[in-house]
């Protein structure tokens, strides 16, 4: 049997794989995406879609946090145009919002922590400010009287990841990119080994292979990319709040059609993305209602869990491994945020161009044992 061949094969059709496919297509590359579908969980489906470089850039892990911050800020700056272009091309609404975000505190220690975070983000060039509880309530009148202060990040914002994925699929379809349903079981090592096999037993060939496999999938992990489970819920809430709120113990993201996402727990390790603990959802709801009491009785629409692709230092892995495979992995809590900038940089790298920013901080070689390559 002759194997079907492509110049570039992207393994993994989450937000990182599909935005990369689109960026490669824009540069004239010939490629296909392989995605395991329901067989392997996808973090993107579970994401809240916050575009939030001011809040989560992995500063607590001792990794290249500044580089992660700048990747997030660069990508945030691209998102407005990216979302508009995607909508215009596909007619699919992606619910990009530019309302900003508020990090909330009730107590002095929480205010001090937010002030320290604001100072750090400002040092990195971000546009954030500390405001009083009253000023926060002027922006969001439904906030509890107990809110003492807030970190206002006017440029942090959000999209709806499920809508973005729907739009990306339409975009790729129009560009003639095949998204092949199939779990890739094994990859040849070395640039000369072109063949790979799916669970269905189909054999394919590609000159260049890109791993964008998220948290699980069996091809890459060897301990470097691991799942960090997150549980979340959505409730019915029409126009109670307008911007993303990050309260102690829960974030709140208002979406289109009266849907409000409340997330998320964090638990390292379990490969289980099916079970959602009632206690976790109750905790998220209680923390959300403490910040915005009007949400206390809102009806639940949905609850779910997903597996973030974590790495030991909280930073993504982008570049090439020693076997010549391209890696687009480990975007942890920020894959939706990072996607447009990461896609441009990886597309440039794969096609032998110079990426718009230095990928060295994200190289797999930073892990001294080099376990994955
Ligand atoms: C609860 C929760 C909330 C989040 N909120 C946010 C947020 O607000 N903002 C943000 O930026 N990020 C957020 N994230 C993180 C974000 O979801 C991830 O960083 C991002 O989705 C990672 O994208 P990915 O494409 O790398 O991986 P995934 O979305 O997991 O996609 C990987 C794909 O690869 C496929 N695959 C795996 N192995 C194989 C194989 N062997 N063969 C074929 N296909 C394979 C899988 O089926 C999957 O479709 C959140 C995550 C969770 C869980």
């Amino acid at each position: 049997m002759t194997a079907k061949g492509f110049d570039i094969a992207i393994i993994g059709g989450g937000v990182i794989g599909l935005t990369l496919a689109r960026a490669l297509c824009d540069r004239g590359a010939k490629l296909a995406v392989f995605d395991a579908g329901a067989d392997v969980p996808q973090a993107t489906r579970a994401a809240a879609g916050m575009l939030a470089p001011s809040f989560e850039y992995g500063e607590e892990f001792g990794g290249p946090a500044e580089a992660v911050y700048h990747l997030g800020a660069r990508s945030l700056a691209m998102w407005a145009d990216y979302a508009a272009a995607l909508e215009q091309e596909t007619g699919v609404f992606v619910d990009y919002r530019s309302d900003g975000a508020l990090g909330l505190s009730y107590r002095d220690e929480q205010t001090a922590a937010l002030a320290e975070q604001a100072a750090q983000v400002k040092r990195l060039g971000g546009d954030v400010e500390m405001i009083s509880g009253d000023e926060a309530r002027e922006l969001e009148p439904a906030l509890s009287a107990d809110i003492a202060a807030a970190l206002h990040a006017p440029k942090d914002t959000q999209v709806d990841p499920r809508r973005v994925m729907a739009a990306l699929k339409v975009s790729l379809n129009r560009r003639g990119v095949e998204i092949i349903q199939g779990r890739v079981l094994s990859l040849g090592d070395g640039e000369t080994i072109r063949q790979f096999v799916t669970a269905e037993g189909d054999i394919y060939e590609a000159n260049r292979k890109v791993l964008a496999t998220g948290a699980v999938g069996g091809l890459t992990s060897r301990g470097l990319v691991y799942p960090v489970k997150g549980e979340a819920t959505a409730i019915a809430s029409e126009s109670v709040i307008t911007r993303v709120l990050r309260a102690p113990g829960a974030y709140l993201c208002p979406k289109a059609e009266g849907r409000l996402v409340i997330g998320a727990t964090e638990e390292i390790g379990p490969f289980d993305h099916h079970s959602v603990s009632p206690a976790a959802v109750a905790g998220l709801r209680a923390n959300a209602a403490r910040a915005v009491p009007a949400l206390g009785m809102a009806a639940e629409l949905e609850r779910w869990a997903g597996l973030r692709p974590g790495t030991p230092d909280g930073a993504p892995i982008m570049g090439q491994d020693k076997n010549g495979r391209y890696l687009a992995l480990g975007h942890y809590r920020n894959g939706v945020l990072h996607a447009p900038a990461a896609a441009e940089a990886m597309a440039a790298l794969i096609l032998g161009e110079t990426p718009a920013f230095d990928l060295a901080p994200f190289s797999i070689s930073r892990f001294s044992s080099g376990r994955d390559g």
Side-chain angles (χ1 to χ4, degrees):
M1 188 175 79
T2 320
K4 191 165 179 186
F6 303 94
D7 184 21
I8 302 170
I10 298 178
I11 324 284
V15 73
I16 294 296
L18 295 195
T19 49
L20 175 57
R22 191 165 178 266
L24 283 165
C25 226
D26 282 347
R27 289 166 156 83
K30 295 276 173 267
L31 65 134
V33 177
F34 291 77
D35 191 71
D39 277 4
V40 176
Q42 184 184 87
T44 308
R45 261 185 234 123
M50 292 176 291
L51 309 177
S54 310
F55 288 92
E56 291 179 348
Y57 51 96
E59 61 286 10
E60 68 273 39
F61 295 102
E66 280 198 27
V68 178
Y69 174 81
H70 290 301
L71 168 60
R74 172 185 283 274
S75 210
L76 175 65
M78 294 169 71
W79 253 111
D81 286 348
Y82 196 86
L86 203 50
E87 283 185 350
Q88 196 180 16
E89 180 194 342
T90 63
V92 178
F93 170 62
V94 301
D95 201 10
Y96 172 83
R97 292 164 183 240
S98 52
D99 301 300
L102 290 174
L104 306 173
S105 75
Y106 299 107
R107 297 192 305 271
D108 287 352
E109 321 86 84
Q110 292 167 345
T111 304
L114 284 180
E116 169 57 28
Q117 184 184 337
Q120 242 177 51
V121 170
K122 275 187 189 167
R123 269 197 300 277
L124 292 168
D127 179 5
V128 293
E129 57 172 354
M130 288 301 293
I131 60 174
S132 67
D134 285 339
E135 288 169 321
R137 279 180 288 277
E138 269 173 40
L139 295 173
E140 289 291 350
L143 276 179
S144 154
D146 292 343
I147 297 297
L151 188 165
H152 184 208
K155 295 192 177 140
D156 282 21
T157 181
Q158 56 167 331
V159 284
D160 184 324
R162 296 180 190 175
R163 294 176 189 267
V164 168
M165 288 297 283
L168 285 167
K169 284 178 188 165
V170 172
S171 168
L172 291 173
N173 186 270
R174 290 201 174 164
R175 288 152 193 249
V177 175
E178 258 188 278
I179 301 182
I180 296 171
Q181 192 80 17
R183 178 174 183 170
V184 175
L185 284 185
S186 66
L187 291 172
D189 277 350
E191 289 195 67
T192 50
I193 300 183
R194 300 171 72 239
Q195 287 197 337
F196 57 97
V197 184
T198 64
E200 292 70 26
D202 297 324
I203 302 171
Y204 295 90
E205 289 184 352
N207 297 324
R208 288 169 279 194
K209 295 168 216 156
V210 186
L211 297 190
T213 41
V216 286
L219 293 175
T220 58
S221 59
R222 285 182 235 162
L224 283 182
V225 182
Y226 57 83
V228 183
K229 182 174 178 177
E231 293 150 302
T233 182
I235 59 172
S237 151
E238 201 71 64
S239 312
V240 176
I241 57 171
T242 53
R243 45 179 69 61
V244 171
L245 301 179
R246 305 179 71 112
Y251 55 70
L252 297 80
C253 305
K255 304 286 184 191
E257 295 171 0
R259 191 166 175 267
L260 191 142
V261 172
I262 302 173
T265 58
E266 277 206 51
E267 186 188 354
I268 292 175
F271 280 80
D272 153 44
H273 70 292
H274 293 295
S275 66
V276 184
S277 132
V281 172
L284 292 170
R285 294 262 340 226
N287 291 331
R290 185 177 176 206
V292 183
L295 297 176
M297 301 303 286
E300 180 175 316
L301 300 174
E302 188 188 354
R303 57 178 68 185
W304 67 90
L307 304 178
R308 306 170 185 91
T311 63
D313 62 4
I317 298 172
M318 294 192 277
Q320 234 178 331
D321 70 10
K322 68 174 195 268
N323 297 310
R325 298 174 297 209
Y326 292 91
L327 307 176
L329 298 167
H331 287 272
Y332 187 30
R333 294 177 296 202
N334 280 314
V336 183
L337 168 65
H338 292 172
E344 284 301 315
M346 285 300 299
L349 182 77
I350 292 164
L351 297 179
E353 301 163 14
T354 306
F357 60 93
D358 185 14
L359 288 175
F362 307 117
S363 164
I364 194 164
S365 64
R366 72 185 188 272
F367 300 107
S368 53
S369 62
R371 278 172 288 178
D372 254 15

